[in-house]
Amino acid sequence: VPIEQVANERCWMPNDADALRRYFTARHYIEARSDSETSKRQIAEAIATYQDLLEQYPKFAEARAGLAWAYEYQHTYDPENEIENFREVASATAAEALEDCPTLGEAMHLVPNRYDDDNPWIGTWQQLNAFIEMEPHKPENYQRLVRHYRETGLANRGQEVAEKLVAINPLSVRSLRELASIYMDLERYEESKALYQQSIELGNTGPNWAAGAERMTRCREDVECLLDNLYPPHRPYKDQLRIVYRRPADDAEAQESIDVAMQVFHEDPDIFTNWLNYAACTTEHLTPVFFKVVDGVRERGSYWFWPNVWGDACIDVWSDSRFPAFVEEAGLVDYWRKAGWPDACQPQGEGFACGDNIKDE
């Protein structure tokens, strides 16, 4: 693509081939982010690159917005090296970028803006759709919208956006990973594995998650198969997980499985939060674990929501009497009334129902 075209399609950019190469290399490192040691080094290099570019070109708003997000991602993936007061610094950096490019959605995300809402799901949805309308050629807005739809249960809408995203830029690591994640949620493993592999060949430093998910799906009814295919961080807990996954003979054994599951969660919540959330969907006697993990996360002072709760395997979780209160507390019901309802929950009379409690009308 001619340099002049690249420089004119976005906010102001330097008409300089080396500067643009360095800028897009830094963007690539951020797109390829993971918790690998390689990625930690790349995030640090991206931060240094953005800082150097801004010294040379102070009006380079997209580099400044990229720097703001790099600070955020360093906190997530390499907290040992995060800068002091990273969130305040990132917000101030984004505000400076908006002074030079008022329509820069990537920067607008990090500061209060007119698309905000008291309900963060509604605010994010309004923001991302507005940013796409303002900047239809920029993949980062689509990438975040795909993730948003995965988190809120609107998988079909997420798939549509993800496929459009890859069509816009089939060499974007993040775009490939987002579509791979959608296909993995839908258990379309062959397509997902191929996309993950393509992203790895292009620089993704994370694993091929679909390959592992496919193995675990095949093992659902075979405890020893599950244990033989544990991810490395979970292998030291093999004996406890044997109790967690075994088919219980009675209520006492079922309760023991739940108790042991929560024991390993409290020992290492970082590696077991998502794992047990998914296990609650795929293993019938572990359904109560979903709500116990939610309580455990809340006690730690954070509130997560997981894309994998919307897979069809989670229907027992959706049907549980505690699920409606969970999605209401999370703010999702008000969001769905504006954005549309997922397959998991549907409006019913003056209220709503989820899972097997949805009645045909």
Side-chain angles (χ1 to χ4, degrees):
V1 180
I3 295 169
E4 293 82 359
Q5 181 180 336
V6 175
N8 290 330
E9 276 189 348
R10 297 181 168 223
C11 307
W12 179 88
M13 283 186 167
N15 189 354
D16 175 84
D18 182 65
L20 291 178
R21 177 189 59 77
R22 294 169 62 213
Y23 167 74
F24 282 108
T25 298
R27 283 204 66 87
H28 171 73
Y29 286 160
I30 296 302
E31 283 208 355
R33 63 188 180 271
S34 73
D35 57 4
S36 70
E37 292 303 316
T38 297
S39 183
K40 291 175 182 179
R41 291 192 298 271
Q42 289 179 343
I43 291 172
E45 187 174 332
I47 289 172
T49 298
Y50 286 136
Q51 290 171 334
D52 288 346
L53 286 169
L54 289 167
E55 280 190 23
Q56 189 175 1
Y57 303 105
K59 296 290 187 182
F60 196 169
E62 297 217 31
R64 202 171 295 279
L67 178 62
W69 278 102
Y71 289 145
E72 293 274 347
Y73 292 132
Q74 188 173 53
H75 162 72
T76 301
Y77 294 98
D78 189 15
E80 292 183 2
N81 291 307
E82 69 182 40
I83 64 170
E84 188 175 354
N85 299 321
F86 77 93
R87 188 138 290 152
E88 291 83 355
V89 174
S91 181
T93 302
E96 289 178 31
L98 286 171
E99 291 177 7
D100 293 313
C101 185
T103 61
L104 183 53
E106 193 167 18
M108 213 179 294
H109 261 299
L110 297 176
V111 298
N113 63 75
R114 66 182 182 275
Y115 304 107
D116 282 341
D117 191 275
D118 290 339
N119 182 314
W121 300 113
I122 295 173
T124 298
W125 178 63
Q126 291 177 163
Q127 287 181 38
L128 291 171
N129 281 287
F131 299 161
I132 286 171
E133 187 174 342
M134 288 189 295
E135 307 169 312
H137 55 287
K138 294 177 68 171
E140 52 267 29
N141 296 322
Y142 294 92
Q143 291 166 0
R144 295 192 179 99
L145 187 60
V146 174
R147 173 73 185 191
H148 169 77
Y149 281 144
R150 288 183 64 221
E151 290 179 331
T152 57
L154 302 177
N156 292 339
R157 230 181 281 186
Q159 179 182 342
E160 181 181 336
V161 176
E163 289 173 343
K164 181 177 181 179
L165 176 58
V166 170
I168 291 172
N169 187 351
L171 298 180
S172 163
V173 168
R174 199 72 194 172
S175 301
L176 292 167
R177 284 168 62 175
E178 293 297 350
L179 183 55
S181 296
I182 287 280
Y183 286 161
M184 186 171 69
D185 292 344
L186 299 172
E187 297 190 4
R188 293 168 58 174
Y189 291 122
E190 291 304 318
E191 293 160 286
S192 183
K193 285 190 296 184
L195 287 166
Y196 271 122
Q197 183 56 39
Q198 187 179 350
S199 76
I200 289 167
E201 291 169 2
L202 290 168
N204 171 16
T205 57
N208 191 324
W209 292 109
E214 183 182 40
R215 286 195 300 272
M216 299 306 289
T217 300
R218 287 201 308 264
C219 293
R220 277 178 185 164
E221 303 301 321
D222 186 337
V223 173
E224 291 305 317
C225 176
L226 279 169
L227 298 176
D228 288 342
N229 283 281
L230 291 174
Y231 293 109
H234 301 119
R235 290 172 189 167
Y237 297 89
K238 189 171 184 178
D239 290 341
Q240 292 101 311
L241 292 174
R242 181 176 282 107
I243 297 171
V244 171
Y245 279 105
R246 72 181 176 198
R247 187 184 297 274
D250 51 35
D251 289 346
E253 284 197 354
Q255 186 59 52
E256 183 185 17
S257 294
I258 293 168
D259 291 342
V260 173
M262 295 314 297
Q263 175 190 329
V264 298
F265 167 77
H266 287 296
E267 285 183 28
D268 200 336
D270 289 337
I271 68 167
F272 276 110
T273 296
N274 278 315
W275 177 271
L276 290 175
N277 158 256
Y278 188 61
C281 289
T282 58
T283 308
E284 185 177 358
H285 65 276
L286 296 179
T287 296
V289 168
F290 177 88
F291 302 97
K292 289 181 177 291
V293 168
V294 169
D295 289 340
V297 170
R298 192 183 292 115
E299 287 169 7
R300 296 176 68 206
S302 60
Y303 196 98
W304 285 13
F305 209 82
W306 303 271
N308 58 21
V309 74
W310 302 117
D312 289 344
C314 288
I315 192 163
D316 287 344
V317 172
W318 306 341
S319 305
D320 191 283
S321 60
R322 290 164 286 191
F323 194 70
F326 167 67
V327 293
E328 279 205 285
E329 181 189 346
L332 284 164
V333 176
D334 289 338
Y335 164 81
W336 290 332
R337 288 187 176 122
K338 278 184 171 286
W341 290 81
D343 292 338
C345 298
Q346 290 288 310
Q348 203 153 282
E350 295 183 0
F352 70 99
C354 301
D356 290 335
N357 302 303
I358 299 172
K359 293 180 175 60
D360 295 330
E361 295 184 359

